[in-house]
Amino acid sequence: MDKQAKCDPAVSAAGVSTHGDRMELHPSRRGFIAGGMVGMITPSVAGLLVSQVDAASMQHDSPSPPAAGGGAQLVREPVRPGGGPRRVPFVDGEPLRQPEIRRSEKGELRTTLRAAYSWQEIGGYQLHLRGYEGMMPGPTLRVQPGDVLRIRLINDLPPNRETMPLQMNQPHMLNLTNFHFHGAHTSPDGISDNVLRTMEPGQSYDVEIRIPEDHPRGTYWYHPHHHGSADIQLSSGMVGAIVIEDGPEQVPEVAAAKDLTMVLGEVVFDGFGMVEGFDALFSETSTRFLSLNGQRNPTITMRPGEVQRWRLVHAGYQDDLFLVLDSHQLHAIARDGVGLVIIGEGQICTDQPDRKDAVLIAPGQRIDVLVKAGTPGTYEFKALPYNQGYPSPFGPIARVKVEGEPLPMALPGRLAPPPLASIRDEEITNRRRLTFSADLPENDAAAHWREFRFLVDGRSFDIDRVDHRIKLGAVEEWEIVNLHFHDHIFHIHVNPFELVKVNGEYVPSVWLDTVVLPRNGSITIRSRFLDYVGKYVLHCHMMNHEELGMMQLIEVYA
């Protein structure tokens, strides 16, 4: 059911007062004591303590009521110390749920997102995780080009238990947060899509993002991006989809298809059923199982001959997923929010490149696919084994049950006109070369994660150093080289890019904002730096690597 949540900035009975763009929460004495103790004890014990604060106290401290049906009941029996996370009954194959929808009205989507711990039951485990609105994933935001997205982001996470460390390129201050509209061509400045903002626990902040009238329509998503805490928060489930809805240019066959939002996740947790330290994330084998819309192996129902549009959002923190639906084809019609010219183009596979029935999706990417149901039966939607320099996670994601009366529908013979024009050679004003690499310990298996560094141009990220200054209006071609024996995932904010070469060979061009950077290989991209000045970042969207330094700062100036 559609829901538009509004936030009243006035002082409330819960003890909320506003200061400029920041709203402070005044917790009860009981909540303050619990929060203060969290600041002095270990992460696992902190989770146990938070879980034992009574429901009345938690609701008093919250500036908004729990979302109905969203799993926002924060207090249950505590996790068992020493026995691993609590196991709960698990019904395999429950119907796929769609995230709550919040839709713009009259050119505006005004809503509240509350970041807080909540209990989640997923795949037979009771987990205590950070999230938005007590949900996994958060609500889907549906908007139109030209709309204004106004969010009151409430950081209701506990106080940090540490001060700012000297080493910035390691996880730290895990409850600082901010907001990133991934893939959007919007301003990176002020209170817009500014990932350099810091949003502290116990306070609330306004986010106001103006979407251009000519913005490509498609599938995007949102997540935290505060350096030091982004990986922990994203992997815990602080994610949600954003859909810039179709216009009249969409072809009839796509417009007629049932539209499903499908947020892919990699479920990780520690021995207490939480994500409270980097040790829970860093190993390439950390993923426990894969999820879809916060569910483990749900059921998608279709009628024979029916065509559905699946908006696949890879909101996982680290690994590629090589997706296949048994006895069916996944027909890609858009990547990273931008419609394709030819169905299925734009894929980079460094393993099994000739396999045509599988779709590779990297962390941060979105792929819209059409699925036409075949004969009645039950089919497995799964991730296949895949080598990205190390083994990607694989296994079941969902089952597709085809049943009922036939519903004959057609796949499109053509796609909508591309929203972005290809960049010609004569437009290019500058060329750059970037290198991604890693500084590794002698024995990976025996090493601690603090021994790893992930680098761009031989340097770790420095928030006080601008790595690239680019004049507004420039059109640039970049060669990006990967010197590491693992694939990486290149992502840049604000301006999408046109992929033109892979490993030095021309490919059919495709517009993206996130792309696989082949191990011991390269990509060549072109981009127009239009409309917006300010500072923003490029980085590896394997968020473990971003957190350990694989990021650079860009400044676009007038």
Side-chain angles (χ1 to χ4, degrees):
M1 183 175 65
D2 289 4
K3 175 182 177 182
Q4 183 180 17
K6 297 182 181 292
C7 177
D8 184 355
V11 175
S12 74
V16 181
S17 61
T18 59
H19 295 275
D21 85 319
R22 188 173 70 186
M23 181 171 67
E24 297 183 353
L25 311 181
H26 304 296
S28 66
R29 180 177 180 273
R30 188 171 192 174
F32 178 79
I33 292 171
M37 292 180 72
V38 168
M40 297 183 289
I41 57 182
T42 64
S44 300
V45 178
L48 300 180
L49 214 165
V50 170
S51 71
Q52 296 178 55
V53 179
D54 64 38
S57 173
M58 295 295 281
Q59 290 177 3
H60 176 75
D61 295 345
S62 171
S64 59
Q73 175 63 42
L74 300 183
V75 178
R76 291 189 187 174
E77 200 172 340
V79 180
R80 295 168 297 167
R86 178 174 297 282
R87 302 299 293 266
V88 295
F90 169 50
V91 179
D92 190 32
E94 64 181 357
L96 176 70
R97 299 188 297 263
Q98 285 293 280
E100 176 193 316
I101 294 174
R102 300 183 181 179
R103 193 184 304 270
S104 64
E105 295 180 2
K106 298 180 181 179
E108 176 186 75
L109 199 167
R110 183 184 293 269
T111 191
T112 298
L113 288 177
R114 176 174 174 263
Y117 278 94
S118 64
W119 290 103
Q120 302 288 339
E121 292 185 0
I122 176 172
Y125 295 91
Q126 185 186 72
L127 307 178
H128 197 233
L129 303 171
R130 299 168 178 86
Y132 293 120
E133 302 290 275
M135 308 174 194
M136 178 194 282
T140 297
L141 310 180
R142 296 189 73 106
V143 295
Q144 299 283 343
D147 282 351
V148 181
L149 180 58
R150 291 188 172 94
I151 298 170
R152 175 57 61 91
L153 196 147
I154 301 167
N155 185 352
D156 216 5
L157 295 168
N160 287 296
R161 58 183 178 267
E162 59 181 316
T163 57
M164 192 67 72
L166 294 176
Q167 173 52 268
M168 297 295 295
N169 290 304
Q170 292 184 357
H172 58 273
M173 301 193 78
L174 304 183
N175 293 330
L176 297 178
T177 195
N178 58 26
F179 182 89
H180 176 43
F181 185 162
H182 183 120
H185 178 62
T186 56
S187 172
D189 218 358
I191 63 170
S192 185
D193 186 24
N194 183 352
V195 300
L196 303 181
R197 295 178 76 184
T198 295
M199 300 181 180
E200 298 178 357
Q203 298 176 351
S204 184
Y205 299 80
D206 289 321
V207 176
E208 183 176 297
I209 300 175
R210 296 181 177 273
I211 303 168
E213 295 277 358
D214 59 351
H215 198 289
R217 301 171 184 265
T219 307
Y220 303 86
W221 66 300
Y222 62 91
H223 62 85
H225 211 296
H226 196 279
H227 188 55
S229 63
D231 193 15
I232 292 286
Q233 293 178 10
L234 187 153
S235 63
S236 183
M238 288 179 64
V239 300
I242 301 178
V243 175
I244 302 181
E245 296 182 324
D246 289 341
E249 76 285 348
Q250 189 55 265
V251 298
E253 295 88 348
V254 175
K258 184 178 182 180
D259 192 328
L260 296 180
T261 299
M262 299 175 68
V263 180
L264 298 159
E266 299 176 77
V267 178
V268 291
F269 48 85
D270 61 22
F272 290 90
M274 305 175 74
V275 185
E276 291 301 298
F278 211 51
D279 290 335
L281 304 179
F282 186 72
S283 163
E284 276 90 19
T285 57
S286 290
T287 298
R288 306 280 186 132
F289 54 86
L290 303 174
S291 66
L292 184 62
N293 290 351
Q295 297 171 267
R296 184 176 187 178
N297 203 26
T299 297
I300 302 163
T301 57
M302 301 183 72
R303 291 164 60 182
E306 180 185 3
V307 174
Q308 292 185 355
R309 177 185 189 169
W310 295 359
R311 296 179 183 268
L312 298 171
V313 180
H314 191 338
Y317 69 101
Q318 173 72 10
D319 304 294
D320 296 343
L321 298 176
F322 201 35
L323 306 177
V324 69
L325 174 59
D326 289 343
S327 303
H328 290 74
Q329 191 73 29
L330 303 174
H331 303 276
I333 61 169
R335 288 180 177 270
D336 290 356
V338 181
L340 297 174
V341 176
I342 300 172
I343 292 176
E345 67 185 355
Q347 179 149 295
I348 298 176
C349 284
T350 56
D351 182 37
Q352 309 171 61
D354 296 327
R355 185 158 186 167
K356 302 303 181 185
D357 62 334
V359 171
L360 184 72
I361 187 167
Q365 287 188 321
R366 291 85 61 215
I367 305 178
D368 289 24
V369 300
L370 296 181
V371 179
K372 183 177 174 66
T375 57
T378 300
Y379 305 91
E380 191 172 39
F381 179 46
K382 59 191 174 186
L384 297 170
Y386 184 83
N387 177 19
Q388 59 184 96
Y390 62 86
S392 301
F394 61 92
I397 296 173
R399 59 170 58 99
V400 175
K401 192 171 185 179
V402 180
E403 61 183 1
E405 290 296 315
L407 181 62
M409 297 178 68
L411 292 166
R414 63 177 181 86
L415 296 177
L420 300 172
S422 185
I423 296 174
R424 305 181 310 276
D425 292 348
E426 56 269 26
E427 287 185 69
I428 296 172
T429 60
N430 189 41
R431 288 179 168 84
R432 298 174 194 255
R433 187 175 190 268
L434 285 68
T435 59
F436 280 49
S437 63
D439 186 0
L440 305 175
E442 186 171 348
N443 181 356
D444 285 14
H448 191 274
W449 56 260
R450 287 188 176 88
E451 299 178 63
F452 292 78
R453 291 196 311 152
F454 294 90
L455 313 171
V456 184
D457 294 333
R459 299 191 291 186
S460 297
F461 177 65
D462 184 343
I463 199 169
D464 296 319
R465 182 190 71 232
V466 173
D467 298 282
H468 304 281
R469 296 192 77 246
I470 302 171
K471 187 172 177 58
L472 185 66
V475 181
E476 299 204 350
E477 181 178 277
W478 294 7
E479 181 188 22
I480 306 167
V481 178
N482 184 1
L483 303 179
H484 191 202
F485 53 84
H486 290 176
D487 295 347
H488 289 283
I489 311 301
F490 176 81
H491 172 57
I492 189 169
H493 295 199
V494 181
N495 294 289
F497 54 81
E498 185 180 20
L499 176 69
V500 295
K501 291 182 185 179
V502 177
N503 294 331
E505 300 291 330
Y506 282 101
V507 296
S509 65
V510 60
W511 285 90
L512 304 166
D513 57 63
T514 308
V515 65
V516 173
L517 177 57
R519 56 189 180 274
N520 298 315
S522 68
I523 58 172
T524 302
I525 64 173
R526 294 175 174 181
S527 187
R528 300 182 178 102
F529 292 83
L530 302 176
D531 301 322
Y532 303 111
V533 298
K535 293 180 180 179
Y536 54 93
V537 295
L538 64 86
H539 62 93
C540 179
H541 219 284
M542 300 164 79
M543 295 301 287
N544 284 353
H545 298 173
E546 183 268 359
E547 213 75 287
L548 295 179
M550 197 170 248
M551 183 159 67
Q552 287 189 331
L553 190 63
I554 298 165
E555 183 176 21
V556 176
Y557 64 95

